Amino acid sequence: MIYDALIAPFLEFEFMRRALAAVVALSLGAAPIGVFLMLRRMSLVGDAMAHAILPGAAVGFLLSGLNLFAMTAGGLIAGFAVALLAGVVTRVTDLKEDASLATFYLASLALGVTIVSVKGTNIDLLHVLFGNILAMDDQTLLVVAFNATLTLVVLAVIYRPLVIESVDPLFLRTVSRAGSIAHLTFLALVVVNLVNGFQALGTLLAVGLMILPAGIARFWSRELTGMITIAVASAILSGYAGLVLSFQTRIPSGPAIILVSAVLYVVSILFGNVRGVVRQLFPAPHLEA
């Protein structure tokens, strides 16, 4: 019974194996980015950028239909354009960065939905908004794996200045000029991973596998390396369990993955050993002199 429910789907069906491989690749790339977003108090920026890629992907869809490279290139261009525009508006006006991003992402979401609706059908719109990881082909899987590998390599290169800039940006500015480069490179990695997640989970859910595992990790570890490890593990677990849930029920695969991750997040809030609710209500006894 356990074998039929948890293992057999991946042994018997190639599309399930592809989906699981995609989840692992997405988890390895997106989860560490999510940890840094949370550390830098930029979680909502990730959500805004996820919506910002939609017009570019929609233009790619308008020109080439559901073409992988056209939609990926369009999403990357739109994401970088919104990030640059929001930065320019923030610097030349009194508007804060979060307010600027919120304005651009709302306009981007509306524009993207309009473009897809004009060109395609409701099914196409659902595919763009919520993805379909079970339809992952070899070409898309290779792109997802390449982007995840690129993310890990670049993150390793900028790791030290990124950590320092996240904790004490003023100190980094006094001893090095690497802070701005690390910040811009990090924003580029955010866009790349959101486009990566867009291929599998759609625009509205792509940020879920980035932010929720990071939130889970925050309740189980105080160290950055521990948080990254737990975030990646919880993302992979969420993906695996979500695929199984989707296979056994009528729940779409993308929402199933995010729902499982949300359940793990609630469990972490309650039972996490770092400021979890139960841990605070029943603290461990301290040694008495």
Side-chain angles (χ1 to χ4, degrees), residues 54-97:
L54 182 55
V59 170
F61 171 78
L62 186 66
L63 297 176
S64 305
L66 293 173
N67 180 278
L68 169 66
F69 291 103
M71 295 179 70
T72 298
L76 286 172
I77 293 171
F80 289 132
V82 168
L84 289 174
L85 285 172
V88 170
V89 170
T90 301
R91 282 161 178 76
V92 301
T93 68
D94 293 331
L95 200 64
K96 298 297 184 181
E97 188 174 22

Side-chain angles (χ1 to χ4, degrees), residues 123-146:
I123 294 176
D124 294 325
L125 181 60
L126 288 174
H127 177 83
V128 170
L129 293 179
F130 299 104
N132 188 4
I133 196 170
L134 297 181
M136 186 78 58
D137 56 19
D138 291 338
Q139 188 181 44
T140 307
L141 182 58
L142 286 174
V143 172
V144 170
F146 173 80

Side-chain angles (χ1 to χ4, degrees), residues 40 158-183:
R40 298 159 70 90
I158 66 171
Y159 184 81
R160 291 187 65 182
L162 186 61
V163 172
I164 298 173
E165 207 251 347
S166 299
V167 176
D168 193 345
L170 181 61
F171 170 76
L172 184 61
R173 282 198 295 268
T174 60
V175 299
S176 173
R177 296 181 179 179
S180 298
I181 297 175
H183 179 72

